[in-house]
Amino acid sequence: MDIRAYNRSAWDREVARGNTWTQPVNQEVTQAAQRGIWSVLLTPTRPVPRAWFPDLRGLDLLGLACGGGQQGPVFAAAGANVTVLDNSPAQLAQDRLVAQRDGLDMRLVEGDMANLSQFVDESFDLIFHPVSNIFVPAVRPVWLEAFRVLRPGGALLAGFVNPVQYIFDYEAMETQGLLNVHHSIPYSDLTSLDPEQRQRYLDAGHPLEFGHTLEDQIGGQLEAGFLLSGIYEDLDPSSPLCKYISTFIATRAIKPVVEI
Ligand SMILES: C[S@@+](CC[C@H](N)C(=O)[O-])C[C@H]1O[C@@H](n2cnc3c(N)ncnc32)[C@H](O)[C@@H]1O
């Protein structure tokens, strides 16, 4: 199966369905950002600490798999030179809508987070990568490409899912709130579900998801050459798991000026 093509259509459908992560910011938000008042999310609920950002004015910023008109327009309004790369034309259209409505300049690129060949080495000062690598089967290529296109001294801010979220039977969890341990990690909607369950999942038209190991998520960043400089956890208040563990992680990683 062509996972990227499948997920492109699936995310276009999510826009039509009004998924929370496809709903663009309103004009008050970008107007406040123009006055320096803003906050953004990498994970469901906890705002990214402002100390994780340098001064955005004049900064070359890549929103990586960051369509939906949520963070890109805020960064543009706050003065960054923003490029948003996303696999879904409908998600990019949300950014375009805000940019046109609020008079913001943004570059919108349809592409794959695991292949940033549109960008030359050391093109960006900051990469903002909200929870989205669950939609690619391998995450290490994403870290390698992010490292390549970032300038030395630049930062990668990433949100991702703690894979413990994927060990449970998702139907029992969603319909009855039951936490039945069922899957091993790494998890894949394509190979971990039994055939009937996988068919029900595909029939519902959801994007395909992959539960990566923490070694791939955190170790993969370190192996790409990054140095971790910050980490926090977050939760999804609608998940029955949130009583027990925070299942989202955000990291701040630096591309060292001198490679170590
Ligand atoms: C949960 S949304 C993230 C965007 C949102 N603004 C946020 O705050 O989280 C996940 C995004 O990943 C994108 N995506 C999925 N697979 C992708 C891929 N292979 N390359 C680039 N973007 C991808 C989707 O189109 C979608 O816009």
Side-chain angles (χ1 to χ4, degrees), residues 134-152:
I134 51 173
F135 304 111
V136 287
V139 69
R140 284 177 185 252
V142 180
W143 305 134
L144 290 170
E145 280 290 80
F147 190 83
R148 183 183 65 74
V149 302
L150 199 60
R151 295 186 182 122

Side-chain angles (χ1 to χ4, degrees), residues 98-165:
V98 180
Q100 286 170 355
R101 183 194 66 199
D102 301 350
L104 302 169
D105 200 15
M106 290 166 63
R107 181 159 61 134
L108 305 175
V109 179
E110 187 182 324
D112 181 6
M113 68 179 100
N115 174 6
L116 304 181
S117 52
Q118 304 94 322
F119 308 123
V120 298
D121 295 359
E122 303 182 3
S123 305
F124 299 101
D125 303 301
L126 185 71
I127 299 179
F128 187 85
H129 182 42
V131 174
S132 52
N133 70 29
I134 51 173
F135 304 111
V136 287
V139 69
R140 284 177 185 252
V142 180
W143 305 134
L144 290 170
E145 280 290 80
F147 190 83
R148 183 183 65 74
V149 302
L150 199 60
R151 295 186 182 122
L156 165 68
L157 313 188
F160 49 89
V161 177
N162 183 323
V164 72
Q165 182 161 304

Side-chain angles (χ1 to χ4, degrees), residues 11 21 65 67 70-71 86-88 91 111-113 130-132 136:
W11 270 101
W21 304 106
Q70 293 167 333
Q71 298 95 349
D86 200 280
N87 185 41
S88 155
Q91 280 284 71
D112 181 6
M113 68 179 100
V131 174
S132 52
V136 287

Side-chain angles (χ1 to χ4, degrees), residues 29-30 32-41 48-63 66 70-83 104-106 124-129 150-151 154-157 252:
V29 171
T30 56
Q34 280 163 334
R35 299 193 303 274
I37 301 162
W38 55 269
S39 78
V40 287
L41 295 172
V48 184
R50 196 59 183 264
W52 279 24
F53 293 93
D55 184 352
L56 291 186
R57 286 170 296 179
L59 210 72
D60 294 324
L61 187 155
L62 173 64
C66 185
Q70 293 167 333
Q71 298 95 349
V74 169
F75 295 138
N81 305 317
V82 174
T83 301
L104 302 169
D105 200 15
M106 290 166 63
F124 299 101
D125 303 301
L126 185 71
I127 299 179
F128 187 85
H129 182 42
L150 199 60
R151 295 186 182 122
L156 165 68
L157 313 188
R252 180 178 192 270

